[in-house]
């Protein structure tokens, strides 16, 4: 159990009680859950069937990066945020049948592809996007994106560039003017949205399995899903073997979510 905000612990306790009555043991991911819910903390020695995350989409990303998800357990996301794009169900519409399905094992696992960013001193995994941006706000840097073969994809002065997965195409990349990519496709998106000096630059849908390099004229910030920040001037971005698994108790309808949660005020 991993909970995003203090006000979500009341819901978390109701969920834990329901699962407990169904014979499902719940363990805490952090000391925060131990303190606020009174459940024992997972010490890594016992097998876990799934991780339950209660919060917004940002809470899911924090869980992935903070906890590391070492056993690659599937995530049941109960959304309490505004968009809840990754969630199986939102807190507002959480019917008892959803938890009944979890207790009975009546669910499927959906997998999402990820990207790996590698620099000289670190590497990180991104479910949504890798962002490379200048260290000084308002100061443009020269950014070049090339394939491993040496073919240049783009070169320009800008604040930065986003390389997104299909999942991430509905997040920062969308806000920056990129297109939405169906999450059933295996591809990536290169968006040069951050104050490009040239208006001729356009987002590029690029083959997922072809690695690219982002070269900057000076040291830049590198962020994976907005939660991991390092610095570098040459970043290699490639497919990652890791898949993020989500529990689905019902069909995931991507376009319905786009209409109801992203495009309708």
């Amino acid at each position: 159990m991993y909970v995003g905000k203090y006000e979500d612990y009341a819901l978390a306790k109701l969920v834990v009680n329901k699962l407990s009555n169904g014979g499902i043991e719940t363990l805490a991911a952090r000391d925060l859950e131990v303190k606020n819910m009174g459940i024992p903390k997972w010490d890594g020695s016992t097998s876990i069937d799934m991780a339950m995350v209660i919060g917004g989409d940002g809470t899911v990303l924090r869980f992935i990066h903070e906890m590391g998800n070492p056993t690659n357990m599937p995530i049941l996301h109960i959304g309490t945020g505004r968009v809840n794009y990754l969630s199986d169900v939102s807190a507002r519409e959480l019917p008892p049948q959803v938890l009944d399905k979890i207790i009975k094992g009546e669910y499927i696992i959906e997998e999402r592809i990820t990207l790996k960013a590698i620099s000289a001193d670190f590497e990180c995994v991104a479910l949504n996007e890798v962002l490379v941006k200048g260290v000084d706000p308002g100061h443009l840097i020269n950014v070049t994106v090339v394939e491993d073969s040496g073919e240049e994809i783009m070169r320009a002065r800008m604040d930065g560039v986003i390389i997104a997965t299909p999942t991430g195409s509905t997040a920062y990349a969308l806000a920056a003017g990129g297109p939405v990519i169906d999450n059933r496709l295996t591809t990536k998106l290169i968006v040069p949205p951050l104050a490009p000096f040239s208006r001729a630059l356009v987002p590029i849908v690029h083959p997922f399995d072809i690695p690219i390099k982002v070269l900057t004229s000076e040291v830049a910030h590198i962020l994976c899903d907005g939660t991991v920040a390092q610095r570098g001037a040459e970043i290699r971005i490639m497919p990652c073997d890791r898949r993020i698994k989500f529990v689905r108790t019902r069909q995931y309808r991507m376009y319905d979510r786009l209409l109801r949660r992203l495009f309708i005020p």
Side-chain angles (χ1 to χ4, degrees):
M1 176 68 72
Y2 185 99
V3 183
K5 297 182 294 186
Y6 179 78
E7 51 265 36
D8 292 334
Y9 279 107
L11 171 63
K13 290 178 180 179
L14 293 176
V15 171
V16 168
N17 289 337
K18 172 71 174 179
L19 295 177
S20 178
N21 291 335
I24 304 296
E25 182 183 9
T26 306
L27 301 175
R30 305 168 297 178
D31 292 336
L32 281 173
E33 283 74 40
V34 175
K35 176 182 176 181
N36 291 299
M37 301 181 64
I39 57 178
K41 185 178 179 180
W42 181 52
D43 60 7
S45 64
T46 56
S47 175
I48 299 294
D49 294 317
M50 72 175 63
M52 182 175 295
V53 177
I54 297 180
D57 292 334
T59 301
V60 175
L61 296 176
R62 285 195 300 275
F63 170 80
I64 292 170
H65 288 279
E66 179 182 335
M67 305 305 297
N69 208 4
T71 62
N72 202 24
M73 65 189 84
I75 299 169
L76 173 64
H77 177 206
I78 299 176
T80 63
R82 185 180 63 84
V83 178
N84 300 322
Y85 188 74
L86 296 173
S87 68
D88 180 63
V89 64
S90 71
R92 295 187 302 272
E93 56 183 11
L94 179 61
Q97 292 85 349
V98 169
L99 297 180
D100 288 338
K101 288 182 178 181
I102 296 299
I103 293 171
K104 296 176 183 178
E106 298 175 354
Y107 55 83
I108 61 173
I109 303 299
E110 177 196 19
E111 296 188 353
R112 298 292 181 97
I113 57 178
T114 60
L115 291 167
K116 179 184 291 187
I118 303 174
S119 187
D121 301 322
F122 86 105
E123 66 178 55
C124 63
V125 176
L127 170 62
N128 272 0
E129 77 279 313
V130 178
L131 169 64
V132 181
K133 61 179 296 187
V135 173
D136 297 325
H139 174 67
L140 298 180
I141 58 175
N142 292 320
V143 177
T144 303
V145 182
V146 298
E147 292 185 353
D148 270 9
S149 64
E151 182 173 1
E152 189 172 293
I153 299 173
M154 66 176 62
R155 178 197 296 264
R157 286 179 58 77
M158 63 182 81
D159 280 354
V161 65
I162 296 171
I163 298 88
T165 66
T167 300
S169 73
T170 62
Y172 190 7
L174 178 64
V180 171
I181 298 178
D182 192 307
N183 59 263
R184 293 169 293 187
L185 297 177
T186 304
T187 186
K188 65 179 178 288
L189 178 62
I190 305 171
V191 183
L194 305 177
F197 190 75
S198 172
R199 294 294 181 180
L201 290 175
V202 295
I204 294 175
V205 178
H206 192 261
F208 183 76
D209 59 348
I210 297 180
I212 61 173
K213 290 181 182 178
V214 178
L215 309 174
T216 58
S217 57
E218 54 196 79
V219 173
H221 281 311
I222 307 162
L223 297 95
C224 289
D225 296 334
T227 62
V228 177
Q230 296 288 338
R231 293 189 176 192
E234 179 176 328
I235 306 94
R236 189 166 188 259
I237 299 171
M238 58 189 296
C240 182
D241 293 336
R242 183 180 177 187
R243 299 292 187 268
I244 303 298
K245 301 177 181 178
F246 287 97
V247 174
R248 302 298 183 200
T249 60
R250 55 184 180 174
Q251 184 179 359
Y252 184 89
R253 299 180 181 273
M254 171 185 169
Y255 297 105
D256 176 66
R257 291 176 184 236
L258 284 173
L259 289 173
R260 292 191 297 112
R261 303 184 184 187
L262 296 180
F263 295 152
I264 297 177

